[in-house]
């Protein structure tokens, strides 16, 4: 018989990019929302739980700057900040992926994090699913089947408010599950709450539903794990480890609610000032269902306080600092030296330069897109003021003196 050799590799754990990184636009327009072309600061924590000392720790952000963390002990967390410019072509109202290359004596590792780009242009505080024809979903809502389970649909059977409620069937075979994901939610208060009506009839302690939230780049997590709190009618049980159940072994709503209940959740304080998403996830194993005639989970009458479902996004596309240049000429077309050129933005901020030997002038690091006023003064000539709607580099501006 031949010899079988088994080789196992025991690589030590690497540095982890935890907790979640923070993003702010204080270097940009400082309105609290991240927009295309904007300069932002990423505050990036790294955690070393390997037990080994890591030396030469650094992070390089692809397309941005880098930071040195020095030496990190075997059980420690360190934080540094780097700058990054959001790509100008980023779609407004969508996430942009940022790549972080981490290096240390433990070895290199790469993380990809998402930053949401866009400023809400309108929000709605509630959704009752009654504005569509069953089995369709309202705009911005998404239902996805998981592990072969029946999908969430809008249904006219037993709604809390007619004509529709969202419904996930509790199957007796196959198992699997389904996700109902909300549109983006703008959270404006650290005490924001979510209220919804729901009724469930499932195989008790084996099939049920959970609520999840995605805050920033953290990915979807159970609402409690993310820092949320049930104020009323939270989970009433825990599911067993049933086969093909995507929410097996989790706290959940399970069994028979005996009609519609009102659940109130305080959203995580960490969600305040951020764009988040909510997800209702149903899961079942591959056998028994609920006890009623139409078993499953129905969701209706969703309302937000201190937050709202985003109906649209707006972005002030910042092309970044540019150069404005040109020359000043006499009425006869000769270069004018030592003329004073003034650039004034919409807030009245003024910059001045003096023309050189060949009558040329140049302003660097001019912020766009903005409207500017440009004028020239000299002892001998008058010059017409020019208004610039600036979106990019502008050169070859000419001022010709008037007698």
């Amino acid at each position: 018989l031949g010899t079988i050799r088994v080789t196992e590799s025991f690589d030590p754990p690497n540095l982890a990019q935890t907790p979640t990184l923070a993003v702010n636009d204080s270097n940009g327009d400082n309105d609290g929302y991240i927009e295309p072309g904007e300069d932002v600061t990423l505050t990036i924590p790294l955690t070393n739980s390997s037990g080994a000392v890591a030396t030469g720790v650094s992070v390089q952000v692809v397309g941005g700057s880098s930071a040195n963390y020095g030496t990190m002990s075997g059980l420690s967390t360190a934080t540094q900040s780097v700058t990054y410019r959001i790509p100008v072509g980023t779609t407004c109202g969508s996430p942009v992926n940022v790549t972080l290359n981490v290096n240390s004596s433990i070895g290199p590792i790469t993380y990809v994090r998402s930053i949401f780009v866009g400023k809400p242009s309108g929000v709605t505080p509630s959704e009752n699913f009654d504005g569509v024809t069953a089995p369709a979903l309202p705009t911005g809502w998404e239902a996805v089947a998981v592990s072969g389970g029946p999908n969430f649909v809008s249904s006219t059977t037993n709604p809390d408010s007619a004509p529709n409620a969202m419904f996930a069937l509790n199957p007796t075979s196959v198992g699997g599950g389904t996700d109902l994901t909300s549109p983006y939610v703008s959270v404006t208060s650290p005490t924001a709450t979510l209220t919804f009506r729901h009724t469930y009839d499932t195989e008790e302690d084996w099939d049920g539903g959970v609520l999840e939230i995605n805050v920033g780049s953290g990915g979807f997590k159970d609402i409690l794990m993310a820092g949320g709190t049930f104020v009323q009618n939270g989970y009433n049980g825990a599911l067993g480890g049933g086969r093909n159940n995507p929410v097996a072994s989790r706290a959940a709503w399970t069994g028979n609610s005996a009609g519609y209940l009102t659940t109130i959740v305080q959203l995580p304080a960490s969600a305040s000032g951020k764009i988040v998403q909510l997800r209702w996830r149903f899961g079942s194993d591959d056998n028994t269902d609920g006890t009623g005639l139409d078993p499953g989970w129905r969701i209706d009458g969703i309302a937000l306080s201190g937050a709202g479902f985003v109906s649209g996004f707006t972005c002030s596309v910042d092309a970044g600092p540019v150069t404005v240049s040109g020359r000043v000429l006499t009425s006869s077309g000769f270069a004018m030296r030592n003329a004073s050129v003034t650039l004034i933005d919409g807030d009245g901020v003024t910059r001045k330069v003096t023309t050189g030997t060949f009558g040329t002038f140049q302003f660097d690091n001019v912020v766009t897109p903005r409207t500017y006023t440009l004028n020239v003064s000299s002892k001998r000539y008058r010059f017409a003021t020019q208004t610039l709607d600036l979106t990019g580099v502008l050169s070859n501006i000419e001022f010709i003196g008037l007698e």
Side-chain angles (χ1 to χ4, degrees):
L1 294 178
T3 299
I4 299 175
R5 176 177 295 172
V6 177
T7 302
E8 293 187 70
S9 175
F10 296 96
D11 294 328
N14 212 315
L15 301 180
Q17 196 288 289
T18 57
T20 303
L21 64 81
V23 186
N24 77 74
D25 66 339
S26 58
N27 292 333
D29 60 11
N30 201 28
D31 66 352
Y33 295 96
I34 309 305
E35 296 165 290
E38 189 168 24
D39 289 324
V40 299
T41 299
L42 309 180
T43 302
I44 306 173
L46 295 179
T47 296
N48 182 8
S49 56
S50 68
V53 174
T55 60
V57 180
S58 68
V59 169
Q60 196 276 321
V61 177
V62 175
S65 64
S66 60
N68 293 316
Y69 292 66
T71 298
M72 295 180 62
S73 63
L75 297 172
S76 64
T77 297
T79 301
Q80 294 289 344
S81 295
V82 301
T83 57
Y84 178 75
R85 177 169 294 168
I86 304 298
V88 173
T90 302
T91 300
C92 186
S94 69
V96 60
N97 288 332
V98 179
T99 301
L100 315 177
N101 291 325
V102 181
N103 283 284
S104 74
S105 57
I106 296 177
I109 190 168
T110 295
Y111 294 98
V112 177
R113 296 292 183 256
S114 294
I115 299 173
F116 193 85
V117 177
K119 181 178 182 178
S121 58
V123 296
T124 56
S126 61
E127 178 58 71
N128 59 14
F129 307 104
D130 295 335
V132 296
T133 301
L137 275 66
T139 300
W141 289 80
E142 182 180 32
V144 176
V146 180
S147 301
N151 210 359
F152 262 111
V153 294
S154 62
S155 169
T156 58
T157 303
N158 191 25
D160 187 54
S161 67
N164 301 325
M166 294 303 301
F167 176 60
L169 176 69
N170 187 181
T172 56
S173 62
V174 180
T178 175
D179 293 341
L180 174 66
T181 304
S182 77
Y184 290 113
V185 175
S186 175
V187 183
T188 56
S189 169
T191 59
T193 59
L194 162 70
T195 301
F196 64 97
R197 298 275 287 165
H198 62 136
T199 180
Y200 47 90
D201 178 15
T202 75
E203 182 188 9
E204 189 169 2
D205 297 334
W206 294 99
D207 306 342
V210 300
L211 176 66
E212 299 177 335
I213 189 170
N214 180 17
V215 180
S217 60
F220 279 101
K221 298 178 182 176
D222 188 271
I223 189 68
L224 298 179
M225 183 180 295
T229 305
F230 286 116
V231 179
Q232 180 176 306
N233 289 323
Y235 298 143
N236 68 325
L239 304 184
R243 186 165 53 188
N244 200 36
N245 185 345
V247 294
S249 304
R250 291 178 58 176
W253 290 288
T254 184
N256 194 316
S257 64
Y260 273 92
L261 303 174
T262 299
T263 287
I264 303 175
V265 190
Q266 182 165 320
L267 301 182
S270 62
S272 181
K274 295 184 174 65
I275 303 296
V276 308
Q277 279 188 292
L278 300 166
R279 183 166 74 181
W280 288 258
R281 170 170 270 204
F282 183 78
S284 65
D285 58 18
D286 58 357
N287 50 68
T288 314
D289 60 4
T291 59
L293 296 176
D294 197 14
W297 191 22
R298 286 179 169 81
I299 298 169
D300 206 349
I302 300 173
L304 292 162
S305 174
F309 297 112
V310 179
S311 56
F313 288 94
T314 183
C315 289
S316 299
V317 180
D318 187 349
V322 299
T323 298
V324 174
S325 61
R327 60 178 183 166
V328 178
L329 305 175
T330 68
S331 59
S332 302
F334 295 103
M336 178 175 288
R337 183 181 180 183
N338 293 327
S340 177
V341 184
T342 303
L343 181 71
I344 308 171
D345 68 12
D347 296 324
V349 177
T350 299
R351 297 173 60 183
K352 290 186 178 183
V353 295
T354 301
T355 56
T357 303
F358 301 101
T360 58
F361 65 88
Q362 179 171 307
F363 294 92
D364 296 318
N365 297 316
V366 180
V367 177
T368 62
R370 293 187 183 180
T371 299
Y372 292 87
T373 299
L374 193 62
N375 57 57
V376 176
S377 61
S378 77
K379 294 182 179 179
R380 181 172 178 182
Y381 294 95
R382 294 179 296 107
F383 295 87
T385 297
Q386 297 191 32
T387 300
L388 312 176
D389 290 320
L390 197 59
T391 59
V393 173
L394 187 59
S395 59
N396 299 322
I397 301 171
E398 282 195 350
F399 281 92
I400 299 177
L402 305 173
E403 294 289 353

